[in-house]
Structure formats: C-alpha cells, structure tokens
Amino acid sequence: MATVATLALCSAHAHPATPAPGVELADCSDLDAREIERLLALELDALTGPTRPAQPPPVRLTCHDASVRVSVDDPVTGKTLARDVPAPASDDPMRDRIVALAVSELFLSSWLELLLPPETRRVAPAPAPQVVAVGPTARRAAQPPPTRWELELRGSARWRSLDDPYLGYQPSLQAALVLADWIRLFMAAGLELDRVRRERGEVRSRASGLGMGWQLRAGGNRTLFWDVGALLSGVVVQTRGRSSRADTTESSVSGLAWESALLGGPGLHLGRMTLRLEALGGISRPRLVARVAGEAPVRWDGLWLGAAIGIGVREPIP
C-alpha cells in the first residue's frame, strides 16, 4: 500500500525521466492502457532511477474472468517474464495502479536473479551497464532489515492482592533489540516499592526484578502504533512489617520470586523519540506475607493489574 500511495503522489507532481513501457491490452475493457503506462513509468523510476533501458520493452496484458496475464520480454535478463495476478474489480478506482504495481514487481523479481552465482542463474547474461543499473535495487530488496536498538524509561503503578488491594509504584528501564518493524526482544530492570498502612503500623515491600520479553508491533514505523507482548522476570523481594505501638509485634520476610506479565497499548513515534501507554496484568509467585500483629496480613503474590507510561529513544533508521 505504501508503494501505491507513492504512485498517487508522484502522479500529481512528477514526470518520468525515461520513456514509459508500451502497454498492449487484450480483452481488458476495464483497464486504461495509457494510465497504466504512466504509472508503470513512475514505479520503475522509483525502483531503478533513469538508468533503465532507453527503449523499454512492451508489456502485454491479457484479461480473463478472474485474473490478468502479464507478460514482458525483459532485455535485462534476456527472457520472457510472465505472471498471472488476480483481476482487480471492475469498479475499483485503483485497478490501473494495482496492475502497474504487478508489472513492476515482475521486473524486480527477475532482476533479483542477477545476484545469484553465474552457475546457478536461470537467465541469460545481461549487458554490464544494465546489471550495474538494477544491481543496487535488487540487493536492497533481497537484504533483511538491519537490527536496531531502543531504550525506554518507564513508570508504572500496580494494584496487588486483588482481594485486599494496595498500590505500588515501579520505575524501570527497558532495552529492546528491534529485529524487524513488527517484532522486538527486550530486557527490563525495575524496582517496585509498595506501602500498606494499617491502624497499628504499616508493611513496606521492596522488589528488584530483571526480566526478558518480546513484543509484536502493529503499525511498524508509522506515527501511531500498537504493541502487545509478554515478560518473564526474576525478583528479589523484601517485605517488612513496622509497628507504630510498643505493645504490637511485627513480622518480615524476604525471598526470591518470579513474575509473568502480559502487556499492550498504543504508542507514538516522535522522530527518534517514542511515547507509549500500556496496560499490564500478571501473576507473582510464591506467596510472601508480612504483618503487624492484630492486623490483616499483607501478601506479595497472586494476580495483579497495572498501567505504565514510557518515554524512549531509538536508533535512527538507515
């Protein structure tokens, strides 16, 4: 769709630098040959620049009930290229652009073969100037996207012990490795501070955690995106009762625990910066309990819910 949008913009503001390939139609009453020629020239200019052959080969389009047969004698590879693509609906205002895009992709898929070793190529050798012209385009299409990093400072609030809820706060730092626009792996380090007031004193908890997780991103590098993911963490917990009365006893406990969490929410790309809001939910184990004598115990375990806000910075996209 990004390529189609590019064609739409270019059609209003640009003129192709080289002649357009001729388009011949057979049984295609719903298509406009001249419009397809114009859009195809723009798309090929975007892919290869003005260095493609000065006399582009004709393109033959043969329409059937549910498909369009695209065939081209490609001078770069020395062979006839052919592909059947689904026929756009007759009332689709984008049908000419859809067909032009299919033709340009047919050229590009053939040019990728030029990157193979000579003994494995299935195409005839191409003239050296034409290989130089299409080589960079084919290499960019064949290469996987580079990995990048992101750093994010986060602040979250959590409601623990949902049957007798209390609120805790957690600042954290998250470092992510962006494998593709839609997936990232991350590590998170955080410190959670909880405080529960009772009539005869209070219980305070301190939990230091380190975890690893993954996120899927809808929207990629668009301004508005949406993340969903999961996180598994190991946690060192210290929870302690503090009495405010001399005749009241207290108890404390420390230990190792683990947490698993699901998270998701919207975000914004602001140049190199990101701003995210997330809803959180998870479970903590095992049960760790502290108390002030005569008061209900305070549990650090079980289901919890939370919300977070994050401000981050990311490596520039090359």
Side-chain angles (χ1 to χ4, degrees):
M1 292 305 294
T3 305
V4 173
T6 301
L7 286 173
L9 292 174
C10 291
S11 64
H13 301 289
H15 299 281
T18 55
V23 174
E24 302 172 1
L25 301 180
D27 301 324
C28 299
S29 59
D30 296 326
L31 298 178
D32 185 337
R34 303 289 79 79
E35 179 67 4
I36 294 174
E37 288 177 2
R38 185 180 69 84
L39 295 171
L40 179 57
L42 293 172
E43 178 65 14
L44 291 178
D45 276 337
L47 289 173
T48 68
T51 54
R52 68 174 188 270
Q55 297 297 327
V59 177
R60 295 183 297 277
L61 303 176
T62 305
C63 296
H64 304 285
D65 290 339
S67 64
V68 177
R69 181 74 170 179
V70 182
S71 56
V72 183
D73 293 325
D74 187 357
V76 174
T77 61
K79 71 176 184 180
T80 298
L81 312 176
R83 175 182 294 174
D84 290 320
V85 300
S90 59
D91 58 349
D92 188 342
M94 304 288 284
R95 59 185 179 276
D96 293 326
R97 289 194 174 96
I98 293 172
V99 172
L101 180 60
V103 175
S104 68
E105 289 178 345
L106 185 62
F107 275 105
L108 182 59
S109 64
S110 176
W111 289 336
L112 288 174
E113 295 188 36
L114 295 173
L115 301 180
L116 297 174
E119 63 273 13
T120 62
R121 292 181 189 168
R122 294 177 296 170
V123 301
Q130 293 174 335
V131 173
V132 171
V134 303
T137 300
R139 286 185 174 85
R140 285 194 299 270
Q143 289 177 347
T147 57
R148 305 189 306 277
W149 55 261
E150 292 182 354
L151 290 177
E152 185 175 270
L153 183 63
R154 298 163 57 85
S156 63
R158 297 185 178 189
W159 286 265
R160 287 193 172 274
S161 185
L162 298 183
D163 54 345
D164 183 17
Y166 62 89
L167 187 62
Y169 303 94
Q170 183 189 59
S172 62
L173 181 65
Q174 188 178 104
L177 185 64
V178 182
L179 303 181
D181 288 342
W182 58 275
I183 187 169
R184 58 210 356 90
L185 300 178
F186 68 91
M187 293 187 65
L191 175 65
E192 181 180 344
L193 302 174
D194 306 317
R195 184 179 183 183
V196 183
R197 294 182 180 275
R198 301 298 194 198
E199 183 179 347
R200 301 183 181 187
E202 64 181 16
V203 175
R204 293 188 178 186
S205 300
R206 178 189 180 99
S208 303
L210 180 65
M212 294 191 65
W214 55 266
Q215 287 175 320
L216 301 180
R217 176 161 295 180
N221 285 299
R222 299 176 185 172
T223 301
L224 178 64
F225 59 88
W226 190 281
D227 285 341
V228 294
L231 173 66
L232 181 63
S233 303
V235 188
V236 178
V237 184
Q238 297 175 315
T239 183
R240 181 179 180 182
R242 293 184 177 183
S243 174
S244 59
R245 298 170 53 172
D247 61 346
T248 302
T249 60
E250 57 197 39
S251 67
S252 302
V253 65
S254 301
L256 298 178
W258 61 267
E259 288 186 337
S260 60
L262 298 177
L263 44 95
L268 290 173
H269 283 135
L270 305 171
R272 290 189 59 186
M273 306 296 293
T274 58
L275 176 65
R276 291 200 296 157
L277 297 175
E278 282 188 336
L280 313 170
I283 187 171
S284 303
R285 286 287 188 266
R287 176 176 295 187
L288 299 172
V289 179
R291 69 174 69 218
V292 176
E295 302 286 355
V298 177
R299 295 170 40 195
W300 194 96
D301 77 309
L303 296 174
W304 54 267
L305 298 175
I309 183 171
I311 300 176
V313 62
R314 57 180 183 154
E315 183 179 3
I317 300 174

